[in-house]
Amino acid sequence: MDEPTSALDLCLQYEVSEALQSYAAESGAVMILAWHDLNQVNTECSVIILPHNDLKLAEIAVERFLRVPVSCPQLAVKSANYSS
């Protein structure tokens, strides 16, 4: 889903996020979301995947990404074990 809650007010954002998390937990589904809001990423996600030209440039834990901000080229160097 691409920015599933960005156009909603805060109350609806919370409700939709809760519903998505509930569904994923109950069904065992994995959700792939495109978010640009790092506050939502911090509360909703465990891993950040940075794409570039249809390839996975890097994969990093949210806690690490938010703790040590780095640019994409630096991540690509630090994440030598990425898979496409």
Side-chain angles (χ1 to χ4, degrees):
M1 290 180 227
D2 188 5
E3 299 265 358
T5 63
S6 64
L8 304 175
D9 66 47
L10 289 178
C11 291
L12 278 175
Q13 282 183 8
Y14 178 79
E15 289 178 25
V16 169
S17 293
E18 288 293 310
L20 290 172
Q21 285 180 353
S22 237
Y23 173 76
E26 291 170 10
S27 68
V30 173
M31 292 187 294
I32 299 174
L33 305 168
W35 263 323
H36 302 266
D37 181 345
L38 290 180
N39 288 322
Q40 280 193 304
V41 168
N42 188 36
T43 60
E44 307 290 336
C45 305
S46 57
V47 174
I48 293 175
I49 297 174
L50 299 171
H52 180 68
N53 292 336
D54 296 330
L55 296 175
K56 181 168 68 171
L57 179 66
E59 181 174 331
I60 187 169
V62 170
E63 302 84 31
R64 181 170 178 236
F65 182 82
L66 295 175
R67 188 178 63 242
V68 184
V70 293
S71 69
C72 291
Q74 289 171 318
L75 270 177
V77 170
K78 290 181 181 185
S79 181
N81 295 327
Y82 73 90
S83 61
S84 56

